[in-house]
Coordinates of all heavy atoms in Angstrom, one line a residue:
R268 N 63.6 14.7 71.8 CA 62.4 14.3 71.1 C 61.7 13.2 71.9 O 62.4 12.2 72.2 CB 62.7 13.8 69.7 CG 61.5 13.5 68.8 CD 61.9 12.9 67.5 NE 62.7 13.8 66.7 CZ 62.0 14.7 65.9 NH1 60.8 14.8 65.8 NH2 62.9 15.5 65.1
I269 N 60.5 13.4 72.1 CA 59.7 12.3 72.9 C 59.7 11.0 72.1 O 59.6 11.0 70.8 CB 58.3 12.8 73.2 CG1 57.7 12.0 74.4 CG2 57.3 12.8 72.0 CD1 56.4 12.6 75.0
S270 N 59.7 9.9 72.8 CA 59.8 8.6 72.1 C 58.4 7.9 72.1 O 57.5 8.3 72.7 CB 60.7 7.6 72.9 OG 60.1 7.3 74.2
V271 N 58.3 7.0 71.1 CA 57.0 6.2 70.9 C 56.7 5.6 72.3 O 55.5 5.6 72.7 CB 57.2 5.2 69.9 CG1 56.0 4.2 69.9 CG2 57.3 5.8 68.5
R272 N 57.6 5.0 72.9 CA 57.4 4.3 74.2 C 56.8 5.3 75.3 O 55.9 5.0 76.1 CB 58.7 3.7 74.8 CG 58.6 2.9 76.0 CD 58.1 1.5 75.8 NE 57.7 0.8 77.0 CZ 56.5 0.8 77.4 NH1 55.5 1.3 76.7 NH2 56.2 0.1 78.5
A273 N 57.4 6.5 75.3 CA 56.9 7.5 76.3 C 55.5 7.9 76.1 O 54.7 8.1 76.9 CB 57.8 8.8 76.2
V274 N 55.1 8.0 74.8 CA 53.7 8.4 74.4 C 52.8 7.2 74.8 O 51.7 7.5 75.3 CB 53.6 8.7 72.9 CG1 52.1 9.0 72.5 CG2 54.4 9.9 72.5
E275 N 53.2 6.0 74.6 CA 52.4 4.8 74.9 C 52.2 4.8 76.4 O 51.1 4.6 76.9 CB 53.1 3.6 74.5 CG 53.1 3.3 73.0 CD 54.1 2.1 72.5 OE1 54.9 1.7 73.3 OE2 53.9 1.7 71.4
K276 N 53.2 5.2 77.2 CA 53.1 5.2 78.7 C 52.1 6.3 79.1 O 51.3 6.1 80.1 CB 54.4 5.3 79.3 CG 55.2 4.1 79.3 CD 56.7 4.3 79.7 CE 56.9 4.3 81.2 NZ 58.3 4.4 81.5
L277 N 52.2 7.5 78.5 CA 51.4 8.6 79.0 C 49.9 8.3 78.6 O 49.0 8.7 79.3 CB 51.9 9.9 78.5 CG 51.7 10.5 77.1 CD1 50.4 11.2 77.0 CD2 52.8 11.5 76.8
V278 N 49.7 7.7 77.4 CA 48.3 7.3 77.0 C 47.7 6.3 78.0 O 46.6 6.4 78.5 CB 48.3 6.8 75.6 CG1 46.9 6.1 75.3 CG2 48.5 7.8 74.5
K279 N 48.5 5.4 78.4 CA 48.1 4.3 79.4 C 47.8 5.0 80.7 O 46.8 4.6 81.4 CB 49.2 3.3 79.5 CG 48.9 2.1 80.4 CD 50.0 1.1 80.5 CE 49.7 0.0 81.5 NZ 50.8 -1.0 81.6
K280 N 48.7 5.9 81.1 CA 48.5 6.6 82.5 C 47.1 7.3 82.5 O 46.4 7.1 83.4 CB 49.6 7.5 82.7 CG 49.5 8.4 84.0 CD 50.7 9.3 84.2 CE 50.6 10.5 83.3 NZ 51.7 11.4 83.5
Y281 N 46.9 8.1 81.5 CA 45.7 9.0 81.6 C 44.4 8.2 81.3 O 43.4 8.4 81.9 CB 45.7 10.1 80.5 CG 46.8 11.2 80.9 CD1 47.8 11.5 80.1 CD2 46.6 11.9 82.1 CE1 48.7 12.5 80.4 CE2 47.5 12.9 82.5 CZ 48.6 13.2 81.6 OH 49.4 14.2 82.0
S282 N 44.5 7.2 80.3 CA 43.3 6.5 79.9 C 42.8 5.5 81.0 O 41.6 5.2 81.2 CB 43.5 5.7 78.7 OG 44.5 4.7 78.7
S283 N 43.8 5.0 81.9 CA 43.4 4.1 82.9 C 42.6 4.8 84.0 O 41.9 4.3 84.8 CB 44.7 3.5 83.6 OG 45.4 4.5 84.2
L284 N 42.7 6.2 84.1 CA 41.9 7.0 85.0 C 40.5 7.2 84.5 O 39.6 7.5 85.2 CB 42.5 8.4 85.2 CG 44.0 8.4 85.7 CD1 44.6 9.8 85.7 CD2 44.1 7.8 87.1
V285 N 40.3 7.0 83.2 CA 39.0 7.2 82.6 C 38.2 5.9 82.4 O 37.0 5.8 82.7 CB 39.1 7.8 81.1 CG1 37.8 8.0 80.4 CG2 39.8 9.2 81.3
T286 N 38.9 4.8 82.0 CA 38.2 3.5 81.9 C 39.2 2.4 82.2 O 40.3 2.4 81.8 CB 37.7 3.3 80.4 OG1 37.3 1.9 80.3 CG2 38.7 3.6 79.4
N287 N 38.8 1.5 83.1 CA 39.6 0.4 83.4 C 39.1 -0.9 82.7 O 39.7 -2.0 82.9 CB 39.7 0.1 84.9 CG 38.4 0.1 85.6 OD1 37.4 0.0 84.9 ND2 38.3 0.2 87.0
L288 N 38.1 -0.8 82.0 CA 37.6 -1.9 81.2 C 38.2 -2.0 79.8 O 38.3 -3.1 79.3 CB 36.0 -1.8 81.1 CG 35.2 -1.9 82.4 CD1 33.8 -1.7 82.1 CD2 35.4 -3.2 83.0
K289 N 38.7 -0.9 79.3 CA 39.2 -0.8 78.0 C 40.8 -0.6 78.1 O 41.2 0.3 78.8 CB 38.7 0.3 77.1 CG 37.1 0.1 76.9 CD 36.6 1.3 76.1 CE 35.1 1.2 75.9 NZ 34.5 2.4 75.3
K290 N 41.5 -1.4 77.4 CA 43.0 -1.2 77.3 C 43.2 -0.3 76.2 O 43.2 -0.6 75.1 CB 43.7 -2.5 77.1 CG 45.2 -2.5 77.4 CD 45.8 -3.8 77.1 CE 47.4 -3.6 77.0 NZ 48.0 -4.8 76.4
I291 N 43.5 1.0 76.6 CA 43.7 2.1 75.5 C 45.1 2.3 75.2 O 45.9 2.5 76.1 CB 43.0 3.4 76.0 CG1 41.5 3.2 76.2 CG2 43.2 4.5 75.0 CD1 40.7 2.7 75.0
T292 N 45.5 2.3 73.9 CA 46.8 2.5 73.5 C 46.7 3.6 72.4 O 45.6 4.0 72.0 CB 47.4 1.2 72.8 OG1 46.5 1.0 71.6 CG2 47.4 0.1 73.7
P293 N 47.8 4.2 72.0 CA 47.7 5.2 70.9 C 47.0 4.7 69.7 O 46.3 5.5 69.1 CB 49.2 5.5 70.6 CG 50.0 5.3 71.9 CD 49.3 4.1 72.5
H294 N 47.2 3.4 69.4 CA 46.4 2.9 68.2 C 44.9 2.9 68.4 O 44.2 3.0 67.5 CB 47.0 1.5 67.9 CG 46.6 1.0 66.5 ND1 47.3 1.5 65.4 CD2 45.5 0.3 66.1 CE1 46.7 1.0 64.3 NE2 45.7 0.2 64.7
K295 N 44.5 2.7 69.6 CA 43.0 2.7 70.0 C 42.5 4.1 69.8 O 41.3 4.4 69.5 CB 42.8 2.2 71.4 CG 43.3 0.8 71.7 CD 42.6 -0.2 70.8 CE 43.0 -1.6 71.3 NZ 44.3 -2.0 70.9
L296 N 43.4 5.2 70.1 CA 42.9 6.6 69.8 C 42.7 6.8 68.3 O 41.9 7.6 67.9 CB 44.0 7.5 70.4 CG 44.4 7.5 71.8 CD1 45.3 8.6 72.3 CD2 43.1 7.6 72.7
R297 N 43.5 6.1 67.5 CA 43.5 6.1 66.0 C 42.1 5.5 65.6 O 41.4 6.1 64.8 CB 44.6 5.4 65.5 CG 44.9 5.4 64.0 CD 46.2 4.9 63.7 NE 46.3 4.2 62.4 CZ 46.4 4.9 61.3 NH1 46.4 6.2 61.2 NH2 46.5 4.2 60.1
S298 N 41.7 4.4 66.2 CA 40.5 3.7 66.0 C 39.3 4.6 66.3 O 38.3 4.7 65.7 CB 40.4 2.4 66.7 OG 41.3 1.5 66.2
T299 N 39.5 5.3 67.5 CA 38.5 6.2 68.0 C 38.2 7.4 67.0 O 37.1 7.6 66.6 CB 39.0 6.9 69.3 OG1 39.1 5.8 70.3 CG2 37.9 7.8 69.9
Y300 N 39.3 7.9 66.4 CA 39.1 9.0 65.4 C 38.5 8.4 64.1 O 37.6 9.0 63.6 CB 40.6 9.6 65.1 CG 40.5 10.5 63.9 CD1 40.0 11.8 64.1 CD2 40.8 10.1 62.6 CE1 39.9 12.7 63.0 CE2 40.7 11.0 61.5 CZ 40.3 12.3 61.7 OH 40.2 13.1 60.7
G301 N 39.0 7.2 63.7 CA 38.4 6.6 62.4 C 36.9 6.4 62.6 O 36.2 6.6 61.7
T302 N 36.5 5.9 63.8 CA 35.1 5.6 64.0 C 34.3 6.9 64.0 O 33.2 6.9 63.3 CB 34.9 4.9 65.4 OG1 35.7 3.8 65.4 CG2 33.5 4.6 65.7
S303 N 34.8 7.9 64.7 CA 34.0 9.2 64.7 C 33.9 9.8 63.3 O 32.9 10.3 62.8 CB 34.8 10.3 65.5 OG 34.9 9.7 66.9
L304 N 35.0 9.7 62.5 CA 35.0 10.3 61.1 C 34.0 9.5 60.2 O 33.3 10.0 59.5 CB 36.4 10.2 60.6 CG 36.6 10.8 59.1 CD1 36.2 12.3 59.1 CD2 38.0 10.6 58.7
Y305 N 34.0 8.2 60.4 CA 33.1 7.3 59.6 C 31.7 7.6 59.9 O 30.8 7.6 59.1 CB 33.5 5.9 59.8 CG 32.8 5.0 58.8 CD1 32.5 5.3 57.5 CD2 32.4 3.7 59.1 CE1 31.9 4.5 56.6 CE2 31.8 2.8 58.2 CZ 31.5 3.2 57.0 OH 30.9 2.4 56.1
R306 N 31.4 7.7 61.3 CA 30.0 8.0 61.7 C 29.5 9.3 61.1 O 28.4 9.5 60.7 CB 30.0 8.0 63.2 CG 29.9 6.6 63.8 CD 29.1 6.5 65.1 NE 28.9 5.1 65.5 CZ 29.4 4.4 66.3 NH1 30.4 5.0 67.1 NH2 29.1 3.1 66.6
E307 N 30.4 10.3 61.1 CA 30.0 11.6 60.7 C 29.8 11.7 59.1 O 29.0 12.4 58.6 CB 31.1 12.7 61.0 CG 31.1 13.0 62.5 CD 29.9 13.7 63.0 OE1 29.3 14.5 62.3 OE2 29.4 13.3 64.1
T308 N 30.8 11.0 58.4 CA 30.8 11.2 56.9 C 30.1 10.0 56.2 O 29.6 10.1 55.1 CB 32.2 11.4 56.4 OG1 32.9 10.1 56.7 CG2 32.9 12.5 57.1
G309 N 30.2 8.8 56.8 CA 29.8 7.6 56.0 C 30.6 7.2 54.8 O 30.3 6.4 54.0
D310 N 31.8 7.9 54.7 CA 32.7 7.8 53.6 C 33.9 6.9 53.9 O 34.9 7.4 54.5 CB 33.1 9.1 53.0 CG 33.8 9.1 51.7 OD1 34.3 8.0 51.4 OD2 33.9 10.1 51.1
I311 N 33.9 5.6 53.6 CA 34.9 4.7 53.9 C 36.2 5.0 53.2 O 37.3 4.8 53.7 CB 34.5 3.2 53.7 CG1 35.4 2.3 54.5 CG2 34.5 2.8 52.2 CD1 35.0 2.1 56.0
Y312 N 36.1 5.6 52.0 CA 37.3 5.9 51.2 C 38.0 7.2 51.8 O 39.2 7.2 51.8 CB 36.9 6.2 49.7 CG 36.4 5.0 49.0 CD1 35.1 4.7 48.9 CD2 37.4 4.0 48.5 CE1 34.7 3.5 48.3 CE2 37.0 2.9 47.9 CZ 35.6 2.6 47.8 OH 35.2 1.4 47.2
L313 N 37.2 8.1 52.3 CA 37.8 9.3 53.0 C 38.5 8.8 54.3 O 39.7 9.2 54.5 CB 36.7 10.2 53.4 CG 37.2 11.5 54.2 CD1 38.1 12.3 53.4 CD2 36.0 12.2 54.7
V314 N 37.9 7.9 55.0 CA 38.5 7.4 56.2 C 39.9 6.7 55.9 O 40.9 6.9 56.6 CB 37.6 6.5 57.0 CG1 38.3 5.9 58.2 CG2 36.3 7.2 57.4
A315 N 39.8 5.8 54.9 CA 41.1 5.1 54.4 C 42.1 6.1 54.1 O 43.3 5.9 54.4 CB 40.7 4.2 53.3
D316 N 41.8 7.1 53.3 CA 42.7 8.1 52.9 C 43.4 8.9 54.1 O 44.6 9.0 54.2 CB 42.1 9.1 51.9 CG 43.0 10.0 51.3 OD1 44.2 9.6 51.0 OD2 42.7 11.2 51.1
V317 N 42.5 9.4 55.0 CA 43.0 10.1 56.1 C 43.9 9.3 57.1 O 44.8 9.8 57.6 CB 41.8 10.8 56.9 CG1 42.2 11.4 58.2 CG2 41.1 11.8 56.0
L318 N 43.4 8.0 57.2 CA 44.3 7.2 58.1 C 45.5 6.6 57.5 O 46.3 6.0 58.1 CB 43.4 6.0 58.6 CG 42.2 6.4 59.6 CD1 41.6 5.1 60.0 CD2 42.8 7.0 60.9
G319 N 45.6 6.8 56.1 CA 46.8 6.3 55.4 C 46.8 4.9 55.2 O 47.9 4.2 55.1
H320 N 45.6 4.3 55.0 CA 45.5 2.8 54.7 C 45.7 2.7 53.1 O 44.9 3.4 52.4 CB 44.1 2.3 55.1 CG 44.0 2.1 56.5 ND1 42.7 2.0 57.1 CD2 44.9 2.0 57.5 CE1 42.9 1.8 58.4 NE2 44.2 1.8 58.7
K321 N 46.5 1.9 52.7 CA 46.7 1.7 51.3 C 45.6 1.0 50.6 O 45.3 1.2 49.5 CB 48.0 0.9 51.0 CG 49.3 1.8 51.2 CD 50.5 1.3 50.5 CE 51.7 2.2 50.6 NZ 52.4 2.0 51.9
D322 N 45.0 0.1 51.4 CA 43.8 -0.7 50.9 C 42.6 -0.4 51.7 O 42.6 -0.6 52.9 CB 44.2 -2.2 51.0 CG 43.2 -3.2 50.5 OD1 42.1 -2.7 50.0 OD2 43.5 -4.4 50.4
V323 N 41.5 0.0 51.0 CA 40.3 0.3 51.7 C 39.7 -0.9 52.4 O 38.9 -0.7 53.4 CB 39.2 0.9 50.7 CG1 38.6 -0.2 49.8 CG2 38.2 1.7 51.4
N324 N 40.0 -2.1 52.0 CA 39.5 -3.2 52.7 C 40.1 -3.4 54.1 O 39.4 -3.9 55.0 CB 39.9 -4.6 52.0 CG 39.1 -4.7 50.7 OD1 37.8 -4.4 50.7 ND2 39.7 -5.0 49.6
T325 N 41.3 -2.8 54.4 CA 41.8 -2.8 55.7 C 40.9 -1.9 56.6 O 40.6 -2.3 57.8 CB 43.3 -2.1 55.7 OG1 44.0 -2.8 54.8 CG2 43.9 -2.1 57.1
T326 N 40.5 -0.8 56.0 CA 39.6 0.1 56.8 C 38.2 -0.5 57.0 O 37.7 -0.5 58.1 CB 39.4 1.4 56.0 OG1 40.6 1.7 55.3 CG2 38.9 2.6 56.8
R327 N 37.7 -1.1 55.9 CA 36.4 -1.8 56.0 C 36.4 -2.9 57.2 O 35.4 -3.0 57.9 CB 36.1 -2.5 54.7 CG 34.7 -2.2 54.2 CD 34.5 -3.0 52.9 NE 34.7 -2.1 51.8 CZ 34.0 -1.1 51.4 NH1 32.9 -0.8 52.0 NH2 34.2 -0.4 50.4
K328 N 37.5 -3.6 57.2 CA 37.6 -4.7 58.2 C 37.6 -4.1 59.7 O 36.9 -4.6 60.6 CB 39.0 -5.4 58.0 CG 39.1 -6.7 58.8 CD 40.4 -7.4 58.3 CE 41.6 -6.6 58.7 NZ 42.9 -7.2 58.1
H329 N 38.2 -2.9 59.8 CA 38.2 -2.2 61.1 C 36.9 -1.7 61.6 O 36.5 -1.6 62.7 CB 39.2 -1.1 61.1 CG 40.6 -1.5 61.3 ND1 41.3 -2.3 60.4 CD2 41.5 -1.3 62.4 CE1 42.5 -2.5 60.9 NE2 42.6 -1.9 62.1
Y330 N 36.1 -1.3 60.5 CA 34.8 -0.6 60.9 C 33.6 -1.4 60.4 O 32.5 -0.8 60.1 CB 34.8 0.8 60.3 CG 36.0 1.6 60.8 CD1 37.1 1.8 60.0 CD2 36.1 2.0 62.2 CE1 38.3 2.4 60.6 CE2 37.2 2.6 62.7 CZ 38.3 2.8 61.9 OH 39.4 3.5 62.4
A331 N 33.7 -2.7 60.4 CA 32.7 -3.6 60.0 C 31.4 -3.5 60.8 O 30.3 -3.5 60.2 CB 33.2 -5.1 60.0
A332 N 31.6 -3.3 62.1 CA 30.4 -3.1 63.0 C 29.6 -1.9 62.6 O 28.3 -1.9 62.7 CB 30.9 -3.0 64.4
I333 N 30.2 -0.8 62.2 CA 29.5 0.4 61.8 C 28.9 0.2 60.5 O 27.7 0.7 60.2 CB 30.5 1.6 61.8 CG1 31.2 1.7 63.1 CG2 29.6 2.9 61.7 CD1 32.2 2.8 63.2
E334 N 29.5 -0.5 59.6 CA 28.9 -0.9 58.3 C 27.6 -1.6 58.5 O 26.6 -1.3 57.9 CB 29.9 -1.8 57.5 CG 31.1 -1.1 57.0 CD 30.9 -0.6 55.6 OE1 30.2 0.5 55.4 OE2 31.4 -1.2 54.6
E335 N 27.7 -2.6 59.5 CA 26.5 -3.4 59.8 C 25.3 -2.4 60.3 O 24.2 -2.5 59.9 CB 26.8 -4.4 60.9 CG 25.7 -5.3 61.3 CD 25.4 -6.3 60.1 OE1 26.2 -6.6 59.2 OE2 24.2 -6.8 60.1
E336 N 25.7 -1.5 61.2 CA 24.8 -0.5 61.7 C 24.1 0.3 60.6 O 22.9 0.5 60.6 CB 25.6 0.4 62.6 CG 24.8 1.1 63.7 CD 25.8 2.0 64.6 OE1 26.6 1.4 65.3 OE2 25.8 3.2 64.3
R337 N 24.9 0.7 59.6 CA 24.4 1.5 58.6 C 23.5 0.8 57.7 O 22.5 1.2 57.1 CB 25.6 2.1 57.7 CG 26.4 3.2 58.5 CD 27.5 3.8 57.8 NE 27.1 4.6 56.7 CZ 27.4 4.4 55.4 NH1 28.1 3.3 55.1 NH2 27.0 5.1 54.4

Side-chain angles (χ1 to χ4, degrees):
R268 186 186 295 276
I269 198 167
S270 66
V271 168
R272 183 83 193 98
V274 176
E275 288 169 346
K276 282 168 83 172
L277 79 86
V278 168
K279 184 180 177 181
K280 176 180 75 177
Y281 289 120
S282 62
S283 65
L284 302 174
V285 176
T286 170
N287 50 12
L288 294 176
K289 298 174 182 176
K290 191 184 169 195
I291 301 299
T292 62
H294 197 78
K295 303 296 187 290
L296 301 185
R297 187 168 149 78
S298 294
T299 299
Y300 172 79
T302 301
S303 302
L304 183 62
Y305 189 35
R306 281 210 164 105
E307 287 297 318
T308 64
D310 187 341
I311 200 79
Y312 292 96
L313 174 66
V314 177
D316 186 39
V317 172
L318 291 181
H320 288 160
K321 287 204 174 79
D322 184 355
V323 76
N324 289 318
T325 306
T326 323
R327 226 180 265 287
K328 193 170 66 187
H329 278 67
Y330 303 103
I333 310 174
E334 287 267 77
E335 184 68 24
E336 206 178 284
R337 291 176 72 240

